Amino acid sequence: MNDANKFPSITITHVLEHLYCPRFTYFEYVLTIPERQERRWKVQRGREVHLERQKINKSYLRKKLGVVKREFDVPLASETLGLRGIADEVLTLEDGMMAPLDYKFAKAPKKIYRTHRYQAALYAMLIAEHYGVASTKGFLCYTRSSYKLETVEFTASTFTKARKLAEGVHEVIRDGSLPIATAYPTRCVDCCYRNICVR
C-alpha cells in the first residue's frame, strides 16, 4: 500500500494483535476504544526486560552469536511502512550484519510461533531501514527455558508476509469496516473487547 504513511503510525504490537484477531484494529483505531491493559503491560514488560537481560552472559552472546555490540531499548520507525516499535536489543554481529533480540517471558515452544517470527521480521525490517544494514535473522530469548536462545532466519517471503500484515492493519483503518473475527473462539475468552464484539 503506497499511502501507508498517511495513516497514524502503528506499532509492531498492533500488527501482532491484528494477526491474533483483526477486530483489535477496528476497535482500537476505527472506533478509538483504547485497550485498557496496554499501558500497564508496557510498563511491566519494560521492567522485566531490564531485569532479565542482566542475566544473559555477555561472553556467551559474543561466542555463540558473534555479537560485537549491543544496543538496548532502541526506538525504530519507518514512514514507508507506517510502523514503529522499541526493540529490546539491536545486535551488531561480527560479519557486519545486525539483528533484533527479543525477550519472551515463556518457555521455548517446540516450533517458533508465527507471531514471534513476524515480530522479529518486522523489527529486522525497521533495523535495515534505520541503519542501512542488512538484517536477515533475529534472536528470541525464552527466559523460562533457562534463557534458551533461538535463531529465526528470514527469507524474502518472510518479509513479504510481514509487510502484508502491516498493510492489513492500515487497510482496516482506511476502510473503517468491521473485519471478520478470528476463527478461533478460544481467543475471545480473555479479550478486552469481548463485551462489545458481536461474532
Side-chain angles (χ1 to χ4, degrees), residues 175-192:
D175 297 341
S177 57
L178 182 67
I180 297 174
T182 176
Y184 305 96
T186 54
R187 295 180 179 178
C188 304
V189 175
D190 294 325
C191 178
C192 60

Side-chain angles (χ1 to χ4, degrees), residues 46-63:
R47 291 172 180 167
E48 289 172 338
V49 167
H50 179 74
L51 292 172
E52 295 296 342
R53 69 186 174 202
Q54 292 179 20
K55 300 175 184 178
I56 299 294
N57 188 292
K58 293 181 181 179
S59 62
Y60 173 78
L61 284 178
R62 185 173 63 251
K63 293 177 182 178

Side-chain angles (χ1 to χ4, degrees), residues 56-93:
I56 299 294
N57 188 292
K58 293 181 181 179
S59 62
Y60 173 78
L61 284 178
R62 185 173 63 251
K63 293 177 182 178
K64 183 176 176 64
L65 306 182
V67 174
V68 297
K69 182 180 179 182
R70 299 168 71 189
E71 298 175 62
F72 306 102
D73 301 323
V74 183
L76 300 165
S78 168
E79 290 188 4
T80 303
L81 296 172
L83 187 67
R84 70 184 190 278
I86 299 177
D88 289 346
E89 294 190 26
V90 173
L91 308 178
T92 300
L93 308 177

Side-chain angles (χ1 to χ4, degrees), residues 17-23 114 179-189 197 199:
E17 290 174 342
H18 185 85
L19 179 60
Y20 195 76
C21 179
R23 288 191 175 180
R114 63 175 185 159
I180 297 174
T182 176
Y184 305 96
T186 54
R187 295 180 179 178
C188 304
V189 175
C197 182
R199 290 188 59 83

Side-chain angles (χ1 to χ4, degrees), residues 20-39:
Y20 195 76
C21 179
R23 288 191 175 180
F24 262 97
T25 304
Y26 177 78
F27 289 123
E28 188 161 5
Y29 272 107
V30 178
L31 298 187
T32 62
I33 301 173
E35 183 186 358
R36 299 298 181 186
Q37 305 169 45
E38 184 182 43
R39 179 170 296 182

